[in-house]
C-alpha cells in the first residue's frame, strides 16, 4: 500500500476543501459529511441522520437515489459519483521494481564473495611484475608469454563477474514474474467477488469495485460487506463486527435502532437493503488501510534519517519504546515470526535439507582452500627453498586469489540455491494450470499440502449433488403424492395457503426466471431449496410474483431468517382484520414437533398428537428420506388482533403451528461424483460426508456416491449421537473417545458447524494411525468458516459459497464440483514429485562437482572445472533444470499410490540409490579422463598448468563430458519411483524438451567459441562424439541401476525428513527458527517495518476496535502481501 495509499491520504483534504461549497455535482451531501456520518454508531448516528436528513429516505433523496428502484444505470451518473465520492478500490502496495529485485538477488552471500574475489583477481591481473625477477618468483607464468596470453589474465575475473550478473538477472526475473503472477491471482480473486445491487428496479450482480455511493445494495446472510452504508430495511439482521471492534458478539442491526453497516464486516444472519454511503479509501476499512500505508512510509523515512544523522533523530523514535510500546513491538515482532513456524510440510523439509547441504558445502570449500594454500606454500618456500621477495608479492597474492576463487566455486556448486526456485516455479506453474481445472488457489502452499491429503470432509449439497433442487413428492390433505398433484385434486383453501406460505416465507431475492435458451431448464436464482418450493408453486399452475407484489418485502411485519441453529424460517404478516399470520418452513422432524394441528383433505384443522407425528415420520418422512429426498415441512399459525404476542420470544411465537404440507425435495447426485470418489479411495483418501440433512437422506446419497458400500464396517451418525460418543460426563470433548469414532465414521448427519469443526480438529490432532492425518474440508456457508480455517486445506464453493467461507478458505472451487478436488490432489502430488525429481538431479550434480573440484584441487593444485564453467553448470542444474523438471504435467498414475503423509522423507531410498549410482558412474568417467585422458585422446596434458596458461583440450573434454552426462541424467531424473521408461510422456512437456535442446546448443557455442573466458579450446568432431557417447551411457547406466532392487540396499538412508512435531522441543524449534531466520532475514525486513508501522498507529489510536482490526484482519493480510511466496527465499 506504500506510496499509493500514502498519496491518497495527502490528497484527501484538498478535494474536501473544494467540496465544502454546498452540494458539489448537484448532490446534497459532501464527501466529508458522509465520512463523518459513518464514524458514528447507534443512537448518535440515528440522531445525526434525523437532524441532517430527516430520515434514511431523506438521505437517499440527497444522494439522488430511490430506496426501492435504486440508481438509474446511467454511465455518466455513475462516473460522476466516482469522481466526487471515489471508487470502491483500495490501492495495493506498490510492487517491487525490477531493479529492487536485482538488488535483493545481489545480497546473496556466496555471490558477494565471488564478486569480491573476481574484482581482486581483476585488479591483480593488470599488475605485471618486473620482467627480470619473474624467474625468482617460480613458475608463475611459464609458457604464457610466448602465447601472448599474459595480458589475458583479466578475462577470468571479468567472466566471473559476467556470470554473476547472469545469475542475478535470472533470479530477479523469476522473482518479478512470480510477483506479477501473484498480483494477477489477487486481482482475479477480487474480480470474482460480486455484490447484489438494485439499479432501475432490477437486481444486478456487479463487481465489488463497481459499487458507487448512492447504490442500493441487497445484504444477505453470508455476505462480506464491500462498502459502508446505512440500512434502509432489514429482517432479523445480525452482523459480526469483530474485524473492526474485536467484540465477538453479533450486533443486531435495524433501521430504527442501529442502521450503520461497515465495510469488512460479516453478515451472520438475516437480510436487508442498504444505501451505500462510503466506498474505497473513504470507507472505514479504507481509512484504516490508508493510515497503515502512511505509518509504514513514515517509518521508512525515519529509519533512513536515523541512519544518516546522529542520535538526535533516533531520540524522536523513542516514544515507540515507552514501556508499553516496547512490549508491543516485541509482541509484534513475535507475531511477525509466528506464522513462520507453521511452515507448510514441504517447506519445512526443504529448509532443513538446504541448511544441511549448505553446511557440508561450506566445510568442503574451506578444506579445499586450506589444502591448496598449504600445498603451494610448502612447495614454493620449503621444497624449492625460495624466499618471499617484495616484488613477488602480487604474483603470490594472485595465486591465493585463484585458490580462493576455486574454494568459493565449490561452495557455489554445493549450495542448492535452485531448491527454493524449483518450489516456487513448480507451485506457480501448478497454480496457473489449476485455474483451468476450476481451482482458484488463494494460498500457495495449499497446493502441495493437498497432495498429502489423507481425508476429505465434504458437504453434500452442491458439492456431491447438482444443487438444482426440485420437489418430487408431497403430503397434502392426508394424501401422499408420489408425483406433483393436479391442482384440481387439492382443496382451494389448502392450495391458497400453500402458495402464500411459500411465496411470502422465502427470500424475495430468490426467484425462478425463464430459461436463457429454448428448451433449457428455468434459471434458479438465490437459495436452491426455496427455488424448489417456488418451482412447486409453478408446477401447481400458480404464480408467486402476484402474491409478492400484493405484500412487498417492506410490508412484512417480522422475519425470523434461516440459520443453522433454527433450521427453519418464519415470516409474520399483518392480516386485513388487524390480526397476524405466521408462515413457517423448515426441517420436517424439527417443525412437526411444533405442530399441534394439521389440515385434512377438506382443508379443515384436525388435531395432530405426538402419536400421529410418529406415524407420519414412519409412513411418510422416512420412506421419502430413504429415496434420498430432503423433507421440508410447511406450516402456519394465526394470532388474533386482541393481544399482540411478544415477537422476541421466538419459542412462544413459533409453536402450536398447523401443518399445511410436507414436501420431498430431490437434489440429484452429480453424474461424475461416484467416479471421482472411487479415484480418491483408490488413492488412499477417505471421503466423509458432513451434512445438515436427515440421516436417512444422507445415508441414501452417500450410498449413491459410493462413500459407503453395503457390507462394509462403517458408521453413520447424527450430530447428537456423535456428541454423546465423544464427550465425557462433564460435556468436554475427549480425544481418546474421538479416536474410537472417526476412523469408521463416513456420514455425519444433522450436524452443526461446531460438530464439523470438532470432527476436523479431532482427525488432525489424532495420533492413532501409523501416520498423522492431513485433512481437506469443503464448505459453502458462513458457519463453515471455523472448519475451513482449521483444516489443512479448506475448499470454498465459488458459486454457492458465501464471502465468509471464501475468506476462510485456501482454494476456491470455481465450479463447486467434487471432481475438481480430485484434480487438486493430482496437482498437489505432482508438485511433490516435481521437487523430488529436481532434488534427485541436483544432488547428483552436487556430489560429483564437489568431489571433482575437491580431489582435483588436492591432487593437481587446480580444479579441473574452472570457476566460470562451474557457474554455467550451476546455472543449468539450478535454474534451467528447476524449470524443466518442475513443469512436468500430472498423470492419472499419481492417483494410484497412497498419500505420502506428513512424515515421509523427501529423498526416498530409491532416489538415494539413483543419486549415488549415477554419481559413481560420473566420477569414474571424470577421474579416468583427468588422469589418463591425454593418453586416450593423444593430446597434451592439462594438469599442473601454470597461472594464465591457455585453455587445454584435455580439460575442455572433461568439462564437456561432465555437461553431457548432466543433460542425459536430466532425462533419467524424470522418474523417481524406479520406472523403466524415462521417455514416457516426454513430448507432453515442451518446456523440458526446449531446455534440454537449448542447453545442448549453448554448450556447443561455449566449447567451440568460448575461448579464454570459459577456459575452453575447440574440440574436433571425433572428440565431440566421444563426449556424447559417454553422455548417452547415463541412460544405459540408469537401466542398470533400476535393475538393482532397493529392498536389498539396507545400508541406504532416507533424507529430508520433516521436523517431527512431537520430538521437537521448544528450544530446537527456536534453533530451527534461527537457521531459517538467516535465510529469511531479507524477507522479514519488510515485515518488521510493517509491524512497526502498525505499532505506531496502535500507540496513537485509542480504543480496542482499532487494535483488533489491525491484529486480526490487516496484519495477516499484510504479512501475506509482504511474503506472497515466502517459499521463494
Amino acid at each position: 500500500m506504500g506510496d499509493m495509499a500514502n498519496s491518497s491520504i495527502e490528497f484527501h483534504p484538498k478535494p474536501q476543501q473544494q467540496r465544502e461549497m454546498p452540494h458539489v455535482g448537484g448532490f446534497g451531501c459532501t464527501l466529508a459529511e458522509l465520512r463523518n456520518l459513518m464514524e458514528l454508531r447507534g443512537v448518535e448516528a440515528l440522531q445525526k441522520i434525523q437532524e441532517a436528513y430527516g430520515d434514511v429516505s431523506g438521505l437517499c433523496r440527497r444522494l439522488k437515489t430511490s430506496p426501492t428502484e435504486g440508481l438509474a444505470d446511467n454511465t455518466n451518473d455513475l462516473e460522476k459519483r466516482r469522481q466526487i465520492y471515489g471508487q470502491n478500490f483500495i490501492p495495493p502496495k506498490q510492487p517491487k521494481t525490477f531493479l529492487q529485485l536485482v538488488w535483493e538477488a545481489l545480497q546473496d552471500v556466496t555471490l558477494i564473495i565471488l564478486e569480491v574475489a573476481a574484482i581482486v583477481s581483476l585488479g591483480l591481473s593488470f599488475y605485471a611484475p618486473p620482467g627480470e625477477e619473474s624467474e625468482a618468483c617460480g613458475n608463475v607464468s611459464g609458457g604464457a608469454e610466448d602465447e601472448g596470453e599474459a595480458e589475458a589474465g583479466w578475462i577470468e575475473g571479468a567472466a566471473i563477474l559476467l556470470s554473476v550478473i547472469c545469475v542475478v538477472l535470472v533470479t530477479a526475473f523469476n522473482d518479478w514474474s512470480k510477483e506479477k503472477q501473484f498480483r494477477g491471482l489477487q486481482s482475479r480473486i477480487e474480480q470474482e467477488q460480486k455484490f447484489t445491487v438494485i439499479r432501475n428496479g432490477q437486481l444486478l450482480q456487479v463487481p465489488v469495485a463497481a459499487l458507487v455511493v448512492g447504490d442500493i445494495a441487497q445484504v444477505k446472510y453470508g455476505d462480506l460487506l464491500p462498502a459502508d452504508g446505512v440500512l434502509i430495511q432489514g429482517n432479523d439482521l445480525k452482523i459480526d463486527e469483530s474485524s473492526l471492534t474485536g467484540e465477538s458478539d453479533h450486533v443486531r442491526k435495524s433501521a430504527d435502532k442501529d442502521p450503520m453497516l461497515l465495510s469488512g464486516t460479516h453478515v451472520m444472519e438475516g437480510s436487508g437493503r442498504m444505501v451505500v454511503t462510503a466506498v474505497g479509501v473513504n470507507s472505514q476499512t479504507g481509512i484504516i488501510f490508508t493510515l497503515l500505508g502512511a505509518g509504514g512510509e513514515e517509518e521508512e523515512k525515519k529509519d533512513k534519517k536515523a541512519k544518516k544523522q546522529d542520535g538526535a533523530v533516533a531520540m524522536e523514535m523513542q516514544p515507540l519504546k515507552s514501556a508499553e510500546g516496547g512490549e508491543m513491538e516485541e509482541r509484534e515482532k513475535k507475531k511477525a515470526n509466528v506464522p513462520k513456524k507453521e511452515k507448510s510440510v514441504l517447506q519445512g523439509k526443504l529448509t532443513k535439507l538446504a541448511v544441511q547441504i549448505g553446511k557440508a558445502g561450506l566445510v568442503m570449500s574451506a578444506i579445499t582452500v586450506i589444502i591448496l594454500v598449504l600445498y603451494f606454500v610448502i612447495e614454493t618456500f620449503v621444497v624449492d627453498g625460495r624466499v618471499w621477495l617484495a616484488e613477488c608479492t602480487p604474483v603470490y597474492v594472485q595465486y591465493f586469489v585463484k585458490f580462493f576463487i576455486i574454494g568459493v566455486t565449490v561452495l557455489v556448486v554445493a549450495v542448492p540455491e535452485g531448491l527454493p526456485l524449483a518450489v516456487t516455479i513448480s507451485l506457480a506453474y501448478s497454480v496457473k494450470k489449476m485455474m483451468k481445472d476450476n481451482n482458484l488457489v488463494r494460498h500457495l502452499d495449499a497446493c502441495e499440502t493437498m497432495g498429502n491429503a489423507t481425508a476429505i470432509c465434504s458437504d453434500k449439497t452442491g458439492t456431491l449433488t447438482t444443487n438444482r433442487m426440485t420437489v418430487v413428492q408431497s403430503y397434502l390433505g392426508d394424501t401422499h403424492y408420489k408425483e406433483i398433484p393436479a391442482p384440481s385434486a387439492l382443496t382451494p383453501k389448502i392450495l391458497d395457503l400453500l402458495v402464500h406460505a411459500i411465496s411470502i416465507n422465502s427470500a424475495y431475492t430468490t426467484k425462478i426466471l425463464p430459461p436463457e435458451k429454448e428448451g433449457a431448464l428455468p434459471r434458479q436464482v438465490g437459495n436452491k431449496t426455496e427455488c424448489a418450493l417456488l418451482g412447486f408453486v409453478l408446477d401447481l399452475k400458480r404464480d408467486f410474483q402476484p402474491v409478492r407484489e400484493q405484500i412487498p418485502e417492506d410490508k412484512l411485519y417480522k422475519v425470523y431468517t434461516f440459520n443453522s441453529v433454527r433450521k427453519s424460517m418464519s415470516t409474520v404478516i399483518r392480516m386485513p382484520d388487524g390480526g397476524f399470520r405466521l408462515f413457517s418452513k423448515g426441517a420436517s422432524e424439527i417443525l412437526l414437533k411444533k405442530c399441534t394441528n394439521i389440515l385434512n383433505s377438506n382443508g379443515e384443522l384436525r388435531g395432530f398428537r405426538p402419536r400421529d407425528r410418529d406415524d407420519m415420520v414412519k409412513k411418510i418422512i422416512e420412506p421419502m428420506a430413504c429415496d434420498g429426498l430432503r423433507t421440508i415441512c410447511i406450516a402456519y399459525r394465526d394470532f388474533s388482533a386482541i393481544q399482540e404476542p411478544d415477537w422476541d420470544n421466538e419459542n412462544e411465537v413459533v409453536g402450536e403451528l398447523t401443518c399445511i404440507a410436507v414436501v420431498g425435495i430431490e437434489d440429484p447426485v452429480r453424474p461424475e461424483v461416484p467416479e471421482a470418489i472411487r479415484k480418491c479411495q483408490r488413492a488412499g483418501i477417505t471421503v466423509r460426508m458432513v451434512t445438515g440433512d436427515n440421516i436417512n437422506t444422507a445415508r441414501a446419497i452417500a450410498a449413491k456416491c459410493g462413500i459407503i458400500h453395503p457390507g462394509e464396517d462403517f458408521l453413520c451418525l447424527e450430530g447428537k449421537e456423535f456428541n454423546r460418543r465423544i464427550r465425557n460426563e462433564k460435556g468436554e470433548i475427549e480425544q481418546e473417545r474421538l479416536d474410537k469414532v472417526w476412523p469408521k465414521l463416513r456420514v455425519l448427519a444433522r450436524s452443526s458447524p461446531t460438530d464439523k469443526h470438532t470432527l476436523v480438529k479431532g482427525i488432525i490432532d489424532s495420533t492413532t494411525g501409523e501416520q498423522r492425518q492431513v485433512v481437506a474440508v469443503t464448505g459453502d456457508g458462513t458457519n463453515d468458516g471455523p472448519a475451513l480455517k482449521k483444516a489443512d486445506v479448506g475448499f470454498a464453493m465459488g458459486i454457492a459459497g458465501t464471502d465468509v467461507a471464501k475468506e476462510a478458505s485456501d482454494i476456491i472451487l470455481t465450479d463447486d464440483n467434487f471432481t475438481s478436488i480430485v484434480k487438486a490432489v493430482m496437482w498437489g502430488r505432482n508438485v511433490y514429485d516435481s521437487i523430488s525429481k529436481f532434488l534427485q538431479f541436483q544432488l547428483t550434480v552436487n556430489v560429483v562437482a564437489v568431489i571433482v573440484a575437491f580431489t582435483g584441487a588436492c591432487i593437481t593444485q587446480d580444479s579441473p572445472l574452472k570457476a566460470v564453467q562451474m557457474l554455467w553448470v550451476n546455472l543449468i542444474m539450478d535454474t534451467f533444470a528447476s524449470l524443466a523438471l518442475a513443469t512436468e504435467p500430472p498423470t492419472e498414475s499419481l492417483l494410484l499410490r497412497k498419500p505420502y503423509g506428513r512424515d515421509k522423507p523427501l529423498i526416498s531410498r530409491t532416489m538415494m540409490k539413483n543419486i549415488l549410482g549415477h554419481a559413481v558412474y560420473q566420477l569414474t568417467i571424470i577421474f579416468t579422463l583427468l588422469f589418463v585422458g591425454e593418453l586416450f585422446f593423444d593430446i597434451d596434458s592439462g594438469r599442473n598448468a601454470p597461472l594464465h596458461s591457455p585453455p587445454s583440450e584435455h580439460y575442455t573434454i572433461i568439462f564437456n563430458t561432465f555437461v553431457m552426462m548432466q543433460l542425459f541424467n536430466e532425462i533419467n531424473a524424470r522418474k523417481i519411483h524406479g520406472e523403466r521408461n524415462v521417455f514416457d510422456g516426454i513430448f507432453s512437456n515442451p518446456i523440458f524438451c526446449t531446455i534440454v535442446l537449448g542447453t545442448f546448443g549453448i554448450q556447443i557455442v561455449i566449447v567451440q567459441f568460448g575461448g579464454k573466458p570459459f577456459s575452453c579450446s575447440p574440440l574436433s568432431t571425433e572428440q565431440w562424439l566421444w563426449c556424447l557417447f559417454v553422455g548417452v551411457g547415463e541412460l544405459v547406466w540408469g537401466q542398470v541401476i533400476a535393475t538393482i532392487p532397493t529392498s536389498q540396499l539396507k545400508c541406504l538412508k532416507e533424507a529430508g525428513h520433516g521436523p517431527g512435531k512431537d520430538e521437537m522441543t521448544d528450544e530446537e524449534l527456536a534453533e530451527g527458527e534461527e537457521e531459517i531466520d538467516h535465510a529469511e532475514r531479507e524477507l522479514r525486513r519488510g515485515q518488521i517495518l510493517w509491524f512497526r508501522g502498525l505499532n505506531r498507529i496502535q500507540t496513537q489510536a485509542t480504543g480496542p476496535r482499532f487494535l483488533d482490526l489491525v491484529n486480526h484482519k490487516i496484519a495477516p493480510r499484510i504479512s501475506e502481501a509482504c511474503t506472497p511466496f515466502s517459499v521463494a527465499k
Side-chain angles (χ1 to χ4, degrees), residues 696-768:
N696 295 329
T697 312
R699 195 185 276 121
I701 300 272
K704 281 183 190 168
C705 293
I707 291 177
I708 57 179
H709 302 284
E712 274 186 1
D713 182 18
F714 59 80
L715 281 176
C716 291
L717 298 179
E718 279 197 341
K720 274 185 190 160
E721 172 64 11
F722 172 69
N723 275 305
R724 195 185 60 71
R725 290 191 183 200
I726 63 167
R727 291 176 190 272
N728 58 19
E729 297 72 43
K730 293 178 192 160
E732 294 158 351
I733 298 167
E734 282 187 3
Q735 187 65 41
E736 287 165 32
R737 291 176 180 236
L738 233 168
D739 287 344
K740 290 191 183 115
V741 175
W742 72 258
K744 287 184 183 174
L745 183 70
R746 292 293 174 273
V747 176
L748 185 58
R750 281 276 176 257
S751 67
S752 69
T754 342
D755 297 339
K756 191 172 189 174
H757 182 258
T758 307
L759 175 66
V760 172
K761 185 175 183 307
I763 298 179
I764 291 176
D765 294 348
S766 172
T767 49
T768 49

Side-chain angles (χ1 to χ4, degrees), residues 657-668:
L657 303 174
T658 302
C659 171
I660 307 170
V662 172
V663 295
I665 296 177
E666 181 183 44
D667 185 8

